[in-house]
Amino acid sequence: MPLPSRPRLAALLAAITVGVAGTTAWAYGHVTGRQADGPEAFVTPSVTQGSALQVVAHPDDDLFFMNPDLSRSISTGIKVTTVYLTSGESDGRNEAHSPHLQDAAGPADRAAYAEARQNGIRAAYAEMATGERTSAWQRRSIPTAGGGSAEVDVLVARPEVNLVWMQLREARSISGDNPDSLRGLWDGKVPALGAQLTSGTPVKPWFSYTKDQAVAAIADVFARYEPTTIRTQDPTPGRTAAGTFLDHQDHVYGARFVQAAAERYAKSADRPHFSLQNYVSYPNSSLPPTLDPQAAEEKLGYLKTYAWMDHQDWCGSPAGCGDRKTATRPTGAGWSQTIRYSRGDGTSWLTEGPTGRLWAFAVLDGRMAYWSRTGAQAPWQGPRFLPGTGPGTVVDAGAKAVRLPDGRIAVFATRTTLGTTPQDYGRDVVYAVQAAAGGTFGPWRSLGTPDTADISGTSAIGGPAVAVDPAGRMTVYVRDSARTLRARTQEAAGGSFGAWEELGGAGLQGDPVTATDGSGRRHVYAATTGS
């Protein structure tokens, strides 16, 4: 049966914090395995404030790369949903990456290994939500807008916690050019990508999705859960000198499907505003830890639960109760000690205009929104939206706002063009300026990109930093895909920008920051892997 729609009751906006009341769970379904008692045990939907939805390529991407954001969201009691695009079937062996252990493990069984990973994920989420890995789940097959089916799991004790399994075939290679993959589907190398159904799943008919059907299926999940926050992986992590992606290809192209689905979902009516945040995945390996020891240990504990470290048969599944590959190294490549956003982690989204009026900016629904207030005691007014940046485009997370000498505000961002072909995909720097101090914003203008080769494959420019000199000329700084610093400077205040300059540097990470001192000199700082 088709799922009911979820009405939007209210949108709560305060000082750039976005929330929505009235989201309800896909909290019904038949019971399988070690679950709630009775074949028709239904759960009453919950009503929460706000909704966080993660979309990842594989089971464990959320635990490695989005925690502790994920566990903190669960602890607040808001609605939390995670969507897994592929089954993560890998080589079909639920054992360590070792030839002699693989031989001992018997023949490959991709459906069973995918089911073991599901069991591990359910255990980790149950532990995050209830403290008990054995807490019961309800599992149900539901139809998708793409013409296939998805498995929806609802945590009985905490029905606001849901898992959605799209069960598409994974690439089965980190970077190999395998057409039967999300990458192949996005690039048009295959007309459709088939499912890899897990053993024990309530989804029975095999299915496949075209590119448009996959986008429609993901967008439909957004429409049903109405998230106020969408978390996903990095669609443009860049490439190595040898030309391979710095991240798993499923991470990259899964995130691009999320971008396209979010752009489609944003066109729907009667939905809450939403923000989208990208997370760094494999590149975290070369970066310093960001979590304190207590947070890192908590995160590692959930990973150990997923990895089925004790090897005790607590789930009763022939496939196994977790992912034994991860048990070899539950810390990942240092991933348990860190969490990073790939863009939009700066603080220059707030600036002061004339007479002390504050202006704040954030990207909502793929568009730039702004709020303002006239004084410290005045309420925030907004959100109001700048015009869109064009059909088939979305504004990326992050905003950089500056005040010009005449009191006008300028806001900068990067824009992703989705396009109609794989070659159209790319990112450029855009900006808009108020027509008069305190007034409306003019149209978006593009500064292009410092990247000139393989734009559709990389486009890994960072968010812009902006400095204004005493004459009112703006200089924009960007980390390019080669991890060096580039800049464009206005030739005159209010005029056109010159060409991109090469300012050097190596291995730059994150977004640069800039300031102008009392003598008018510009200072720019950027992080590297070591300093």
Side-chain angles (χ1 to χ4, degrees):
M1 58 181 275
L3 292 172
S5 63
R6 268 155 291 282
R8 170 191 170 197
L9 300 183
L12 306 176
L13 293 163
I16 318 305
T17 300
V18 184
V20 61
T23 54
T24 57
W26 274 351
Y28 50 88
H30 70 265
V31 181
T32 62
R34 184 177 292 184
Q35 319 258 337
D37 293 333
E40 296 295 333
F42 291 88
V43 179
T44 302
S46 65
V47 178
T48 64
Q49 294 284 342
S51 177
L53 187 146
Q54 295 74 226
V55 189
V56 293
H58 312 115
D60 78 8
D61 291 342
D62 45 347
L63 301 180
F64 272 127
F65 307 122
M66 296 179 179
N67 246 347
D69 283 1
L70 171 60
S71 60
R72 297 297 181 263
S73 293
I74 291 174
S75 70
T76 66
I78 68 168
K79 181 165 180 54
V80 175
T81 304
T82 300
V83 182
Y84 302 92
L85 297 180
T86 79
S87 290
E89 68 275 10
S90 185
D91 61 1
R93 299 179 186 274
N94 192 15
E95 196 47 86
H97 289 286
S98 172
H100 70 277
L101 289 176
Q102 289 179 2
D103 292 342
D109 188 337
R110 288 191 165 94
Y113 177 55
E115 172 71 8
R117 298 187 76 174
Q118 280 195 350
N119 290 334
I121 286 292
R122 282 189 284 268
Y125 273 75
E127 190 169 84
M128 285 188 283
T130 71
E132 297 292 337
R133 66 179 178 181
T134 57
S135 194
W137 293 83
Q138 292 180 334
R139 300 171 63 184
R140 181 180 178 87
S141 173
I142 58 95
T144 68
S149 298
E151 176 181 335
V152 176
D153 300 346
V154 179
L155 186 59
V156 175
R158 292 280 303 276
E160 70 275 12
V161 177
N162 284 205
L163 307 174
V164 181
W165 306 90
M166 306 300 285
Q167 299 195 81
L168 287 169
R169 187 188 193 276
E170 69 153 88
R172 303 177 185 174
S173 170
I174 293 176
S175 58
D177 192 5
N178 182 359
D180 289 315
S181 62
L182 291 170
R183 177 184 179 183
L185 186 63
W186 181 272
D187 286 344
K189 294 182 178 180
V190 290
L193 180 62
Q196 169 61 67
L197 299 182
T198 68
S199 60
T201 181
V203 175
K204 298 307 178 186
W206 184 88
F207 60 89
S208 64
Y209 290 141
T210 65
K211 180 179 180 180
D212 188 70
Q213 287 172 333
V215 172
I218 300 167
D220 183 52
V221 174
F222 296 163
R224 295 183 185 280
Y225 281 101
E226 295 188 334
T228 54
T229 298
I230 296 174
R231 297 168 175 150
T232 190
Q233 293 167 282
D234 188 354
T236 53
R239 294 182 187 266
T240 67
T244 59
F245 286 116
L246 291 170
D247 204 349
H248 195 297
Q249 60 179 312
D250 284 344
H251 300 172
V252 174
Y253 285 89
R256 294 188 185 189
F257 273 102
V258 173
Q259 283 183 304
E263 191 264 344
R264 181 173 300 195
Y265 170 57
K267 297 175 183 176
S268 60
D270 192 29
R271 54 157 178 77
H273 294 305
F274 67 90
S275 62
L276 189 149
Q277 183 62 65
N278 301 108
Y279 286 74
V280 176
S281 298
Y282 284 2
N284 276 321
S285 302
S286 62
L287 301 175
T290 62
L291 300 179
D292 63 72
Q294 181 178 357
E297 186 63 26
E298 179 185 351
K299 177 175 179 175
L300 180 59
Y302 300 133
L303 283 159
K304 288 181 176 179
T305 297
Y306 163 75
W308 192 24
M309 295 292 288
D310 62 10
H311 224 161
Q312 297 297 311
D313 184 15
W314 56 265
C315 67
S317 170
C321 301
D323 182 0
R324 296 294 298 168
K325 282 184 170 62
T326 300
T328 307
R329 188 173 61 173
T331 59
W335 305 329
S336 66
Q337 299 178 331
T338 192
I339 184 172
R340 278 187 174 82
Y341 309 126
S342 59
R343 54 187 52 84
D345 59 355
T347 58
S348 57
W349 46 266
L350 179 69
T351 192
E352 183 181 5
T355 67
R357 185 174 184 179
L358 293 177
W359 297 82
F361 298 84
V363 177
L364 297 179
D365 315 334
R367 298 172 60 192
M368 185 64 71
Y370 67 92
W371 294 253
S372 64
R373 70 177 184 181
T374 55
Q377 303 304 316
W380 285 97
Q381 302 295 320
R384 298 182 176 90
F385 286 84
L386 273 67
T389 57
T393 67
V394 291
V395 179
D396 304 314
K400 304 297 171 69
V402 293
R403 175 182 171 179
L404 303 178
D406 61 7
R408 293 180 298 153
I409 304 299
V411 59
F412 288 74
T414 61
R415 167 181 64 179
T416 294
T417 297
L418 298 170
T420 56
T421 70
Q423 293 73 30
D424 294 332
Y425 186 91
R427 178 174 285 122
D428 62 335
V429 179
V430 293
Y431 74 103
V433 184
Q434 287 179 321
T440 59
F441 284 84
W444 287 101
R445 306 172 189 177
S446 176
L447 293 177
T449 173
D451 293 334
T452 57
D454 191 28
I455 292 176
S456 64
T458 54
S459 297
I461 57 174
V466 187
V468 182
D469 70 12
R473 298 185 306 163
M474 294 184 287
T475 299
V476 180
Y477 302 91
V478 174
R479 185 209 73 222
D480 63 15
S481 293
R483 303 284 169 175
T484 69
L485 189 65
R486 307 290 289 273
R488 287 190 72 176
T489 301
Q490 276 185 313
E491 296 173 350
S496 60
F497 283 75
W500 287 103
E501 302 175 70
E502 298 181 5
L503 300 184
L508 304 185
Q509 303 291 327
D511 300 337
V513 294
T514 185
T516 304
D517 66 19
S519 65
R521 294 182 302 170
R522 299 190 299 271
H523 299 254
V524 187
Y525 293 83
T528 69
T529 57
S531 66

